[in-house]
Amino acid sequence: ALGAEGAPRSGGGAAGWGLRSGAGAAPENEYDLLVIGGGSGGLACAKEAAQFGRKVAVMDYVEPSPQGTSWGLGGTCVNVGCIPKKLMHQAALLGSALKDAQHYGWNISQPVHHTWSVMAQGVQNYVKSLNWGHRVQLQEKKVKYFNIKGSFSDPHTVCGLTKAGKETVVTADNIVIATGGRPKYPMDVAGALEYGITSDDLFWLKESPGKTLVVGASYVSLECAGFLTGIGLDTTVMMRSVPLRGFDQQMASLVTEHMESYGTKFLKRCFPTKVEKLKSNRLQVTWKNADLDTEETDSFDTVMWAVGRAPDTKTLNLETVGVKTNSETGKIIVDASEATSVPHIYAVGDITEGRPELTPTAIAAGKLLAQRLFGQSSELMDYDNVPTTVFAPLEYGCVGLSEEAAVQRYGSDNIEVYHAFYKPLEFTVAERDATQCYMKMVCLREREQRILGLHFIGPNAGEVIQGFALGIKCGATYPQMMKTVGIHPTCAEEVTKLHITKRSGLDATVTGC
Amino acid sequence: VTAYMSKNSSYDASIVVATPSSKIEAAKYEKKVMVLDFVTPTPQGSSWGLGGTCVNVGCIPKKLMHQAALLGQALQDSRKFGWQFTEEVKHNWMTMTESVQNYIGSLNWGYRVALRDNKVTYENAYGEFVGPHTIKATNKKGIEKLYTAERFIIATGERPRYLGIPGDKEYCLSSDDLFSLPYCPGKTLVVGASYVALECAGFLAGLGLDVTVMVRSILLRGFDQDMANRIGEYMKEHGVNFIREFVPIKVEQVEEGTPGILKVTAKSTAGDQMIEGEYNTVLLAIGRDPCTRKIGLDKVGVNINEKTGKIPVNDEEQTNVSYIYAVGDILQDKLELTPVAIQAGRLLVRRLYAGATTKCDYVNVPTTVFTPLEYGACGYSEETAVEKFGEENIEVYHSHFWPLEWTVPSRDNNKCYAKIICNIQDNERVIGFHVLGPNAGEVTQGFAAAIKCGLTKEQLDNTVGIHPVCAEVCIQSHLKAHGILG
């Protein structure tokens, strides 16, 4: 009962899609599912729904950044998040590997230097291949792709303009909003918008950002500042208060401590007041130092804002259809089944209130949603014990509760924290400093000693934590960890050997063998 | 071998150990402990300090040299990530080996200090039983002492096997010699298909040497054979030569030197064909034999397997002689791994002296083969799962993956691979985990812990991945069942 795509509905001509009241028998919609937003959550949902033989459409549109940067299908993760971030992080790690290699007998002529454009091109080409890959996948699964910026005209209708200005209307039985977020700009800093860039721009720069100031204490800030330092750039991080708010603070401190010894400069307890452009084209930044109560200034080639991300819901027209959002964050309020306040309208991913802003959770939630809508499943997404990793120069992986959250929930008398400072074997010959290589396991103190949280700083932290996250999903206890034999020699084996408690006050430094 | 003290005092426990954990454990319970450790030099004259195989001629130097090889690859990758330096990069064997040996020296020293701090008496002497509760310790100078102890723990480990052909002991090296070799081995023939053979061949090739592996029959006997073959394929594609179904029958010296030139004659296992080849170094890695034949076990009546030399023990590591125990590589039907030995040793001592009852859990022990493409595994291989549970009762989920770090440098996109084997009849319990890819050990460890907790496929599916890392592919629901061995 569906007309050809783009053709006016039967019985309506141009007015057919115009006015439709919310209640009453729904007229036949063109699609079973329309997904607004072609990122991690949206694409996963759309592809899964298509597996059930449903008629699915995806709308994706990238509003260019203030600096004019734009990108293809795939969302934040693919274009301006996880993927380019990890690749540039890898470039930085390889810089360290070059230094290590000399200790291991490799003769490399000095000087060694890094060329941004070679790296950027390699990364950008790979991202473009992913954009292409997603287009092909949608085609193969017969999902219709619209490169338009959609907005609601009623609960089953979304319309928008293509880049060429053509008006397009799409109707669907079910709509999933997965438009994600975009970096915030500080509103109270003169020159922030004109002269600063964000992560949206960083990964697409054709030329090196040069001497860079990264403002913010988020993982975005630390990860970017980290790899910029690693490729040899003069990099400073400006933080207003604590690093990695929401993460375990002891671990967050170790991350920033390592970055300092790595060469990243930190301006702590400082916040910018204005950014001006100099005749030399450099940027002059003025800031307040809250501790010293002074005003300071310095010049940089690039100023990057990493002060948080916000959902882009203004142009969606959510008020028109009554989708409720959180007044403070602007995020869409959903229940455990990802349903919004409007029937048949759902939301997944970074745009949803109270959810982790992570690709794997968006993907999983999107898939499960499609399974519930079209596959007779009733399984809800489990947001508990989601593991994550901060890809700072010394990586930090974690799953479960931070120590502070565990103390708050259970009381310090009821938890036991096992910890260890260790040295990766590969650091020995390389003469690398392992001061911040550390791990801790937060357990309930009572008989079973269930594991509440696991935190690991060191190389390949993501690889280490993933399997343990599985264990925690299975209700792993401390004795079960101790029964697991280690793989030798690895860093991960130290998790199975944790035995010194914080409570004991003993020195937690362990030796490998 | 165990040792006991002369004259007045008697030891509670006397241990001859390569890895120090159990001795320190015993000392914690204020028992009088002695350790006898002695390294008989190799035919080439190599020897080493306290710490055993793992520290001196196993895990530690192996992983460090593997790391050196990986760094060689990293150098190549780094160019694609924007790093610039001269085209020609060469490796210096001596720089690497000296660094590795220095680190090992620090570990030997660390053990001496740890023993002293825990008041364990250490003697660098060769121990052998001479009668009930009595051991003779002979040091380098030939001086003999007698000791008695209430209990003994034998942990003498193993040494590499020789082929028993002309020229093997005179001219060939083993892993006992390789890690302290004072000159670059050059063009090398590795004989064997053990993980020792493949790991050594792998890093030697990674350092730029011309390497050939001579294999009698299959690779990595006892490991999942599909995974073993993938490892071999990868090595072949990355410059390691393989000669399959041949065994050396003699080794002759063509030229002396460091290294010299050796001529190897080999015979086909499938016919009469003979081949010859010249190499700078021949490295034998055809297996290891327990050091149990010359320690006087017959004097105290400890049974050993006559064929293999291994010592059978009960599930409390006790031999047939009630006051004599054994741990580590010399045990029959147990895994030859450092962490297993450490675990077994520690738990044994806690049972003996601290009233504990926990026995060593030898089930689902994870391991990793540090070949150029690393292989981590825990639980059943596909073949043994089929054998034990029946083809129709297991489900195998698998996937190739392309590590993100390999994309920009255009490295292989279809070589890394993960496989999970589930027991359908037991709630799709995960009974086997196999991963081939970078950092396989780091990936596998956590999965082993989860398997210990009874991981099922459903729990796997419900766990969110960390993105972007290799490990997440192991839980991604796009792993498809492929039926069995299909």
Side-chain angles (χ1 to χ4, degrees):
Chain A
L2 306 157
E5 285 158 29
R9 312 205 63 102
S10 52
W17 46 263
L19 308 153
R20 200 175 278 115
S21 57
E28 287 179 290
N29 296 307
E30 245 184 299
Y31 291 94
D32 296 305
L33 175 69
L34 167 64
V35 177
I36 311 175
S40 303
L43 291 178
C45 187
K47 289 185 217 172
E48 188 73 12
Q51 306 269 68
F52 293 107
R54 295 300 181 151
K55 199 161 185 216
V56 184
V58 169
M59 260 183 208
D60 186 64
Y61 188 85
V62 179
E63 188 69 52
S65 75
Q67 294 297 332
T69 314
S70 186
W71 50 86
L73 180 62
T76 298
C77 171
V78 164
N79 294 285
V80 285
C82 327
I83 301 299
K85 174 268 295 286
K86 187 100 191 291
L87 288 170
M88 293 197 176
H89 168 65
Q90 172 70 354
L93 291 182
L94 287 171
S96 295
L98 284 173
K99 294 196 189 112
D100 290 354
Q102 301 187 75
H103 292 275
Y104 279 87
W106 292 98
N107 296 325
I108 303 164
S109 70
Q110 299 299 319
V112 170
H113 59 262
H114 184 264
T115 304
W116 173 274
S117 53
V118 173
M119 171 184 76
Q121 200 166 72
V123 171
Q124 288 155 22
N125 283 344
Y126 177 63
V127 169
K128 287 178 188 158
S129 77
L130 292 180
N131 300 141
W132 179 248
H134 281 302
R135 294 286 299 266
V136 167
Q137 269 181 47
L138 289 186
Q139 230 168 27
E140 283 173 356
K141 293 187 196 293
K142 300 197 187 6
V143 173
K144 175 72 181 169
Y145 163 61
F146 293 100
N147 184 215
I148 68 172
K149 193 174 174 86
S151 44
F152 281 93
S153 28
D154 75 44
H156 290 277
T157 311
V158 176
C159 51
L161 294 173
T162 64
K163 282 208 187 97
K166 174 168 163 227
E167 175 93 45
T168 308
V169 181
V170 180
T171 57
D173 283 349
N174 300 282
I175 299 177
V176 175
I177 308 170
T179 48
R182 294 296 289 267
K184 283 198 259 194
Y185 279 78
M187 285 296 104
D188 52 352
V189 178
L193 198 63
E194 299 98 291
Y195 306 124
I197 65 167
T198 67
S199 54
D200 277 359
D201 310 292
L202 181 69
F203 303 111
W204 294 93
L205 293 179
K206 295 275 183 285
E207 298 299 323
S208 171
K211 179 181 173 188
T212 305
L213 173 69
V214 183
V215 181
S218 56
Y219 71 81
V220 173
S221 171
L222 298 185
E223 286 176 345
C224 291
F227 70 69
L228 291 174
T229 308
I231 59 175
L233 300 177
D234 179 340
T235 311
T236 306
V237 173
M238 186 182 291
M239 303 194 298
R240 200 169 37 109
S241 78
V242 300
L244 297 174
R245 186 179 298 279
F247 285 86
D248 185 287
Q249 283 301 292
Q250 178 194 17
M251 305 308 281
S253 300
L254 288 169
V255 168
T256 53
E257 249 173 59
H258 175 267
M259 286 177 71
E260 283 180 283
S261 67
Y262 188 65
T264 309
K265 299 181 227 172
F266 279 82
L267 290 167
K268 294 179 186 168
R269 306 259 295 137
C270 295
F271 57 93
T273 51
K274 65 179 171 195
V275 181
E276 298 159 295
K277 193 148 205 184
L278 300 171
K279 273 201 216 70
S280 61
N281 260 340
R282 266 201 155 186
L283 300 171
Q284 176 102 331
V285 181
T286 310
W287 68 87
K288 280 227 167 66
N289 183 318
D291 280 341
L292 305 173
D293 199 25
T294 53
E295 196 174 76
E296 284 153 24
T297 181
D298 194 3
S299 64
F300 302 89
D301 295 313
T302 301
V303 175
M304 184 183 126
W305 306 109
V307 294
R309 296 174 66 82
D312 182 15
T313 52
K314 275 180 262 54
T315 49
L316 276 173
N317 243 351
L318 295 179
E319 313 78 37
T320 305
V321 290
V323 171
K324 294 208 173 72
T325 59
N326 177 300
S327 53
E328 212 186 290
T329 63
K331 293 193 180 189
I332 297 178
I333 299 170
V334 291
D335 65 14
S337 66
E338 271 69 58
T340 67
S341 51
V342 178
H344 307 298
I345 298 181
Y346 304 84
V348 292
D350 287 6
I351 199 161
T352 51
E353 176 63 36
R355 305 284 193 232
E357 287 178 7
L358 295 168
T359 280
T361 52
I363 292 176
K367 280 198 177 132
L368 288 173
L369 174 61
Q371 286 167 13
R372 289 194 303 275
L373 289 176
F374 306 114
Q376 278 108 40
S377 161
S378 54
E379 200 190 329
L380 297 175
M381 176 66 190
D382 183 357
Y383 290 99
D384 269 343
N385 290 323
V386 171
T388 183
T389 298
V390 177
F391 294 98
L394 194 60
E395 299 176 5
Y396 164 39
C398 59
V399 60
L401 300 178
S402 65
E403 194 176 331
E404 13 333 356
V407 166
Q408 199 179 63
R409 202 183 282 197
Y410 299 100
S412 58
D413 279 344
N414 296 317
I415 63 161
E416 195 78 89
V417 181
Y418 296 91
H419 67 156
F421 284 94
Y422 69 98
K423 188 165 192 172
L425 179 63
E426 291 73 13
F427 278 34
T428 58
V429 165
E431 293 178 23
R432 279 226 247 165
D433 182 10
T435 309
Q436 288 88 23
C437 290
Y438 176 78
M439 61 181 80
K440 70 179 174 184
M441 191 184 284
V442 181
C443 307
L444 280 174
R445 208 170 165 197
E446 45 85 352
R447 229 165 44 97
E448 277 233 318
Q449 293 192 291
R450 189 163 56 86
I451 301 171
L452 301 171
L454 180 64
H455 303 262
F456 174 94
I457 290 188
N460 306 302
E463 308 293 5
V464 171
I465 290 287
Q466 181 71 85
F468 288 105
L470 273 179
I472 286 176
K473 194 60 102 174
C474 301
T477 63
Y478 177 75
Q480 282 173 316
M481 276 307 130
M482 294 307 109
K483 264 181 87 173
T484 306
V485 179
I487 298 172
H488 187 64
T490 60
C491 296
E493 67 176 308
E494 298 300 335
V495 177
T496 66
K497 291 151 74 178
L498 285 168
H499 62 284
I500 298 164
T501 61
K502 278 197 177 181
R503 181 170 272 112
S504 71
L506 295 170
D507 176 14
T509 309
V510 297
T511 52
C513 242
Chain B
V1 187
T2 62
Y4 86 176
M5 210 188 72
S6 62
K7 299 200 175 118
N8 306 316
S9 32
S10 167
Y11 282 89
D12 294 295
S14 220
I15 303 162
V16 170
V17 150
T19 48
S21 311
S22 30
K23 22 191 212 282
I24 292 176
E25 193 73 30
K28 277 202 205 124
Y29 303 108
E30 291 178 358
K31 295 296 172 180
K32 212 156 179 209
V33 183
M34 159 173 269
V35 171
L36 292 185
D37 186 63
F38 191 84
V39 179
T40 307
T42 71
Q44 297 298 324
S46 307
S47 186
W48 49 87
L50 180 62
T53 296
C54 170
V55 164
N56 294 286
V57 287
C59 327
I60 300 300
K62 172 268 295 290
K63 187 100 192 290
L64 289 170
M65 293 196 177
H66 169 64
Q67 174 70 354
L70 290 179
L71 287 170
Q73 176 70 68
L75 291 184
Q76 298 314 316
D77 288 355
S78 74
R79 293 184 212 271
K80 290 285 171 67
F81 280 92
W83 292 98
Q84 287 176 332
F85 44 92
T86 50
E87 267 312 300
E88 224 205 308
V89 176
K90 278 194 147 359
H91 184 261
N92 183 311
W93 175 270
M94 288 316 303
T95 304
M96 173 185 73
T97 309
E98 263 169 39
S99 300
V100 170
Q101 287 302 315
N102 283 342
Y103 177 63
I104 292 173
S106 75
L107 291 179
N108 300 141
W109 178 248
Y111 284 132
R112 299 281 300 263
V113 168
L115 289 185
R116 197 187 55 212
D117 287 350
N118 282 279
K119 301 197 183 15
V120 174
T121 310
Y122 161 65
E123 283 227 5
N124 184 217
Y126 186 94
E128 47 191 317
F129 286 96
V130 289
H133 290 274
T134 313
I135 211 157
K136 175 176 79 174
T138 311
N139 71 7
K140 277 193 193 119
K141 298 188 179 132
I143 297 170
E144 295 175 0
K145 285 190 202 164
L146 286 182
Y147 296 103
T148 60
E150 195 190 324
R151 289 195 180 104
F152 296 81
I153 299 175
I154 308 171
T156 45
E158 301 180 302
R159 298 295 291 269
R161 190 180 300 151
Y162 281 79
L163 282 167
I165 59 169
D168 67 352
K169 291 213 169 109
E170 297 94 296
Y171 306 122
C172 299
L173 303 183
S174 74
S175 55
D176 278 0
D177 307 293
L178 183 64
F179 302 109
S180 56
L181 202 62
Y183 54 86
C184 180
K187 179 179 175 189
T188 303
L189 174 70
V190 179
V191 181
S194 56
Y195 72 80
V196 174
L198 298 186
E199 286 177 345
C200 291
F203 72 69
L204 290 173
L207 300 178
L209 303 180
D210 178 339
V211 177
T212 304
V213 180
M214 187 177 285
V215 176
R216 191 176 49 104
S217 70
I218 63 172
L219 297 177
L220 295 173
R221 185 178 297 278
F223 286 85
D224 185 290
Q225 281 300 289
D226 178 48
M227 303 306 281
N229 291 328
R230 286 170 187 270
I231 289 171
E233 278 309 304
Y234 184 88
M235 286 175 70
K236 215 159 73 168
E237 282 165 24
H238 289 265
V240 177
N241 307 304
F242 279 83
I243 299 177
R244 306 291 300 250
E245 298 186 335
F246 272 85
V247 287
I249 58 168
K250 72 176 168 193
V251 179
E252 297 162 287
Q253 188 176 65
V254 171
E255 204 176 286
E256 257 188 75
T258 53
I261 302 179
L262 300 172
K263 185 167 93 172
V264 178
T265 309
K267 184 173 179 302
S268 165
T269 58
D272 286 326
Q273 197 198 349
M274 303 268 268
I275 54 171
E276 281 178 1
E278 283 191 358
Y279 305 90
N280 295 122
T281 297
V282 176
L283 179 74
L284 301 180
I286 55 167
R288 295 172 67 78
D289 291 320
C291 301
T292 51
R293 310 253 189 210
K294 294 184 186 157
I295 55 173
L297 292 181
D298 49 315
K299 303 261 179 10
V300 283
V302 172
N303 288 339
I304 66 170
N305 178 313
E306 275 311 317
K307 185 167 158 243
T308 62
K310 293 224 174 182
I311 302 181
V313 292
N314 63 16
D315 66 359
E316 294 184 326
E317 284 80 35
Q318 192 180 36
T319 69
N320 61 307
V321 178
S322 64
Y323 65 92
I324 301 179
Y325 299 80
V327 292
D329 286 2
I330 56 172
L331 297 190
Q332 181 164 279
D333 297 330
K334 299 283 193 280
L335 298 155
E336 292 177 9
L337 296 168
T338 282
V340 172
I342 294 178
Q343 185 99 312
R346 283 219 175 104
L347 292 175
L348 169 62
V349 165
R350 283 182 205 155
R351 289 194 306 270
L352 292 179
Y353 301 115
T357 51
T358 314
K359 299 184 199 180
C360 188
D361 186 350
Y362 291 100
V363 172
N364 289 327
V365 171
T367 181
T368 297
V369 182
F370 294 98
T371 31
L373 192 58
E374 295 179 6
Y375 167 39
C378 183
Y380 289 91
S381 67
E382 202 172 327
E383 310 83 276
T384 50
V386 166
E387 202 184 285
K388 170 135 190 194
F389 298 97
E391 224 180 281
E392 65 284 3
N393 294 318
I394 68 163
E395 196 77 275
V396 181
Y397 298 89
H398 67 161
S399 179
H400 284 93
F401 62 96
W402 197 20
L404 183 61
E405 294 73 13
W406 289 23
T407 57
V408 166
S410 304
R411 286 172 63 186
D412 299 300
N413 66 354
N414 63 346
K415 289 288 184 284
C416 295
Y417 179 74
K419 168 164 89 170
I420 292 180
I421 305 170
C422 300
N423 181 352
I424 297 175
Q425 294 183 312
D426 179 21
N427 223 356
E428 271 208 298
R429 184 109 19 222
V430 176
I431 57 170
F433 171 87
H434 304 264
V435 65
L436 194 62
N439 304 302
E442 308 293 3
V443 172
T444 303
Q445 182 70 85
F447 282 86
I451 287 174
K452 192 59 93 180
C453 299
L455 179 71
T456 61
K457 179 67 168 59
E458 194 184 332
Q459 287 167 321
L460 196 80
D461 289 344
N462 288 338
T463 303
V464 180
I466 297 172
H467 186 65
V469 300
C470 295
E472 69 178 314
V473 80
C474 303
I475 64 166
Q476 274 166 4
S477 50
H478 73 255
L479 289 182
K480 287 183 181 55
H482 71 30
I484 316 302
L485 300 177

